Amino acid sequence: LASTAVATYTRQDSTKIRGYDAHLPFYGKNPWIRLLLVRHGESLGNEDKSLLKYRADHAIPLSKTGREQSREAGRIIREFYENDPHSTKERHRRLWTSPYVRARETAEIILEETGGWIKDKREHILLGEQQFGMFEGQSLQDIEKNHPQEYAHFNKCIESEGRFWARMPLGESRFDVAKRVHQSFGTFHRDAQYHNITDIIIVSHGVTLRALAMMWLHRPPEWFEKEKNPNLCSIRCLNENEDCGYVFNGFAPAKDHSNYMHAAHMYRGSQGIEP
């Protein structure tokens, strides 16, 4: 692979995370749910941020490296379930994915590599990437030049430690992403309550997955800002309301110094962006 894995998966990882008896999926009144959160593999936009200047974000596919990363993530998910003493292959597991092309492609590859451990795949529009609106694909210098009032408001929020609340024109703030991703939880709970699907895999994007984890674990906005963006094809386990950490740390994105506004980076006021 062109990128280097930050940490390797170990067979002991899945045994540290509480499983469940196949005949007793419910704990109390509500179903117990285990989530695996997976960020998509490397996209052509991760390779070259300037691509966003002339191609819509939702339409950007995986790179060749991203497809290899997705295969590795699929193999690790398969091993995760194989080495969980409480899991059986017959149990219904569902994969939910963002409708963005890079996420769809990642999800399809994972489904192929898991060898029947995941029964089906569905899309949820609420799992899409943060919308960057008029700022998308522009350098910070161009944003300040072309949208001075919007830039001033955006920068004011950041300088007041309010990056979470800063909304981009015709786009979303991280607050907006957290609100919409929370609406998807009803789907996951219905999967568990009415269809006995308590193992759910979610393939999505960096900001979206951080927002999902924040809302699922009932964390404050300050937690979100301290939480690093997940690596490409990283796999994080949320066991009901417990954060079990990363099953696989994934692949660090290639360093990018193009200074383009995109959800894969965190804006730092006049200092530009950093991975």
Side-chain angles (χ1 to χ4, degrees), residues 28-262:
K29 295 182 179 180
N30 298 312
W32 165 81
I33 299 174
R34 176 168 62 183
L35 302 179
L36 291 184
L37 309 182
V38 186
R39 187 181 172 194
H40 61 79
E42 181 188 82
S43 72
L44 294 179
N46 292 125
E47 283 188 335
D48 178 12
K49 293 295 184 298
S50 66
L51 182 64
L52 287 162
K53 295 181 72 174
Y54 54 86
R55 192 165 184 177
D57 190 23
H58 73 274
I60 295 177
L62 291 176
S63 66
K64 182 178 179 181
T65 296
R67 300 186 72 83
E68 290 298 321
Q69 293 171 344
S70 301
R71 277 189 272 274
E72 180 66 11
R75 289 190 287 266
I76 289 169
I77 291 173
R78 185 186 67 232
E79 290 185 16
F80 175 82
Y81 290 127
E82 287 175 343
N83 291 287
D84 180 354
H86 302 281
S87 288
T88 62
K89 200 169 186 179
E90 292 71 29
R91 192 152 189 86
H92 193 164
R93 296 175 185 84
R94 174 165 290 163
L95 186 154
W96 284 96
T97 181
S98 156
Y100 277 46
V101 170
R102 57 186 178 274
R104 283 176 173 171
E105 292 177 342
T106 300
E108 194 62 42
I109 292 170
I110 288 174
L111 199 64
E112 293 171 0
E113 292 292 335
T114 47
W117 282 90
I118 300 173
K119 297 301 181 186
D120 60 19
K121 172 177 66 71
R122 296 188 179 183
E123 291 186 4
H124 207 311
I125 60 171
L126 297 179
L127 296 176
E129 177 62 289
Q130 181 181 14
Q131 304 294 299
F132 272 61
M134 294 171 65
F135 286 1
E136 183 172 280
Q138 295 193 61
S139 70
L140 298 180
Q141 292 80 7
D142 287 342
I143 291 171
E144 186 173 13
K145 176 183 177 181
N146 299 330
H147 312 285
Q149 292 183 324
E150 293 85 352
Y151 174 85
H153 173 75
F154 191 77
N155 202 42
K156 178 181 68 174
C157 292
I158 292 171
E159 290 178 347
S160 302
E161 299 183 357
R163 174 68 178 88
F164 185 79
W165 311 103
R167 179 180 292 131
M168 286 158 281
L170 301 182
E172 293 178 302
S173 65
R174 292 171 172 181
F175 168 59
D176 294 324
V177 178
K179 283 194 301 180
R180 72 164 156 85
V181 80
H182 184 260
Q183 296 177 53
S184 68
F185 291 2
T187 300
F188 309 146
H189 286 296
R190 285 189 292 275
D191 275 352
Q193 187 169 0
Y194 299 117
H195 305 290
N196 202 24
I197 302 172
T198 53
D199 258 319
I200 296 173
I201 302 91
I202 297 172
V203 177
S204 189
H205 311 265
V207 169
T208 309
L209 291 175
R210 276 194 288 162
L212 192 155
M214 182 191 83
M215 299 300 287
W216 191 268
L217 299 170
H218 307 289
R219 300 290 191 260
E222 290 78 12
W223 177 91
F224 184 104
E225 295 305 329
K226 293 177 182 178
E227 187 74 9
K228 291 183 178 180
N229 222 35
N231 286 321
L232 299 166
C233 279
S234 58
I235 305 168
R236 183 180 199 158
C237 180
L238 305 184
N239 200 31
E240 191 52 25
N241 292 322
E242 178 185 1
D243 183 2
C244 298
Y246 284 92
V247 173
F248 178 57
N249 278 352
F251 304 90
K255 292 293 183 182
D256 179 80
H257 303 288
S258 59
N259 212 33
Y260 284 92
M261 176 62 80
H262 187 259

